[in-house]
Amino acid sequence: MRVFSGIQPTGAKHIGNYIGAMRQYVATQDANEGGAYFCIVDLHSITVEYDPRDLHDRSLDLAALLFAVGLDADRCVLFCQSHVAAHSEAAWLLSAVTGFGQLGRMTQFKEKGEGKEFVSAGLFTYPVLMAGDILLYQTDIVPIGDDQRQHLELARDVAERFNSRYGETFKVPRAVYPEVGARIMDLQEPTKKMSTTNGTPQGTVLVLDDPDTIRKKFKTAVTDSGREIRFVPEEKPGVSNLIEILSVASGRPIAEVEEDYDGRGYGDLKTDVGEAVVELFRPVRERYAELRSDEDELRRLLRIGAEKAQTTSAPTLHHMYERMGFVAR
Ligand code: TYM
């Protein structure tokens, strides 16, 4: 099985990214013989307003963070999207088989564009670039969080349309969501997903937050009316979110967490989740500081990743051009 996933460098990485995505990346890098490809999708990050210096630094930050959580350059391929030109090329070619109507129905496009004075064309065509990312690698599985579901469906549609119009070229990829924590919610507004762009700063726990900040954010988390600690997301979104986070951070099933807190109060739960998350991220913070301080080494590892990604994606890009009728060079 071949694994591929992408993550944006801009916006500080939060516990939603960790639980929904990064943790799965680490788990898949060894379990799959076809190789695991993880892409810092810098080209996606220019579709909303951003600062070029920030993009540069955040890309290196993210590389260091991904290594710090457990990706290993010898066991997977980590690279920057902009280092492999095939991604930009594939996006243009695939735009020929992507429906304008389908792009307009993307909820993330609507959410990110809402109320903005300027909405870039890139924000609209973003899912085509994402489809190319995945399809170029003949990907079998894509570990993602729940918010990418619609984009993944679009990638599958694009693959099928291309295959039927130009002949069998792409594998049709399948998404894999974590069993627990596919959609981590904002601690202050637990009916909204945790996000650095649309969430509340106090309700967003960053992987690199210092321990006291993490504790404080959990302590002030919004809970629900009633007193029972039970996992019922529709009825008790706040408490259920905390239970999910604690389940992942402590490695215990949800039912066991519920049992442990039978008859106890929300205060205990909040304190314990905070502590568990502090411990979960402690080694990550330490490793991150070490890795981030050696930029030359990060660049070297990203270069190696880009070379491998380029080699793997080249034949598929070549077939795309060929089957679409372009004259060979
Ligand atoms: P991005 O950078 O917004 O998010 C990276 C990953 O984190 C997951 N995630 C969450 N999971 C659980 N709870 C949350 N609150 C939460 N917030 C984010 C996302 O689902 C994602 O898996 N379009 C993508 C990046 C991308 C991509 C790709 C992904 C580009 N090309 C190819 C997979 C394959 C994005 O913006 O993710």
Side-chain angles (χ1 to χ4, degrees), residues 25 32 87 93 105 118 140 210 224 229 233 279 294 326:
Y25 303 168
N32 290 282
H87 290 252
L93 299 183
R105 287 193 293 277
F118 176 81
D140 296 289
D210 62 70
D224 317 286
I229 297 181
E279 289 316 314
D294 192 349
F326 291 97

Side-chain angles (χ1 to χ4, degrees), residues 92-266:
W92 180 253
L93 299 183
L94 293 176
S95 69
V97 287
T98 310
F100 181 84
Q102 190 174 12
L103 286 177
R105 287 193 293 277
M106 294 292 119
T107 45
Q108 212 160 79
F109 169 67
K110 292 187 208 159
E111 277 169 18
K112 288 195 177 170
E114 207 177 17
K116 296 274 176 353
E117 203 177 300
F118 176 81
V119 176
S120 74
L123 189 63
F124 184 70
T125 55
Y126 173 120
V128 190
L129 180 60
M130 175 162 164
D133 297 341
I134 300 166
L135 301 180
L136 273 173
Y137 294 83
Q138 302 295 344
T139 301
D140 296 289
I141 55 176
V142 187
I144 41 174
D146 185 65
D147 63 339
Q148 296 300 316
R149 199 176 281 271
Q150 215 185 7
H151 290 159
L152 213 282
E153 276 311 309
L154 182 137
R156 290 167 56 91
D157 290 349
V158 165
E160 278 164 2
R161 196 169 298 116
F162 192 102
N163 286 347
S164 74
R165 194 171 291 177
Y166 300 108
E168 212 49 43
T169 306
F170 300 122
K171 256 198 195 151
V172 181
R174 183 168 64 81
V176 178
Y177 305 97
E179 262 173 53
V180 179
R183 194 174 186 82
I184 296 296
M185 309 308 258
D186 188 291
L187 299 187
Q188 291 296 316
E189 291 180 29
T191 51
K192 276 172 52 181
K193 75 164 181 184
M194 190 179 285
S195 144
T196 39
T197 36
N198 286 328
T200 67
Q202 185 67 14
T204 306
V205 177
L206 306 183
V207 179
L208 296 174
D209 269 342
D210 62 70
D212 278 342
T213 306
I214 294 179
R215 291 188 187 102
K216 217 172 284 161
K217 286 180 178 175
F218 280 104
K219 216 160 257 170
T220 54
V222 167
T223 38
D224 317 286
S225 57
R227 302 159 127 251
E228 270 175 290
I229 297 181
R230 274 190 309 124
F231 184 73
V232 258
E234 313 76 43
E235 234 178 88
K236 292 174 154 276
V239 168
S240 302
N241 193 37
L242 294 177
I243 293 177
E244 253 185 307
I245 296 174
L246 183 55
S247 161
V248 172
S250 64
R252 284 178 297 161
I254 285 182
E256 206 180 298
V257 174
E258 281 182 308
E259 230 170 81
D260 275 1
Y261 287 89
D262 191 25
R264 292 166 68 192
Y266 290 165

Side-chain angles (χ1 to χ4, degrees), residues 162 166-170 318-326:
F162 192 102
Y166 300 108
E168 212 49 43
T169 306
F170 300 122
H318 177 76
H319 286 138
M320 290 169 74
Y321 278 119
E322 199 173 47
R323 292 184 184 149
M324 291 179 88
F326 291 97

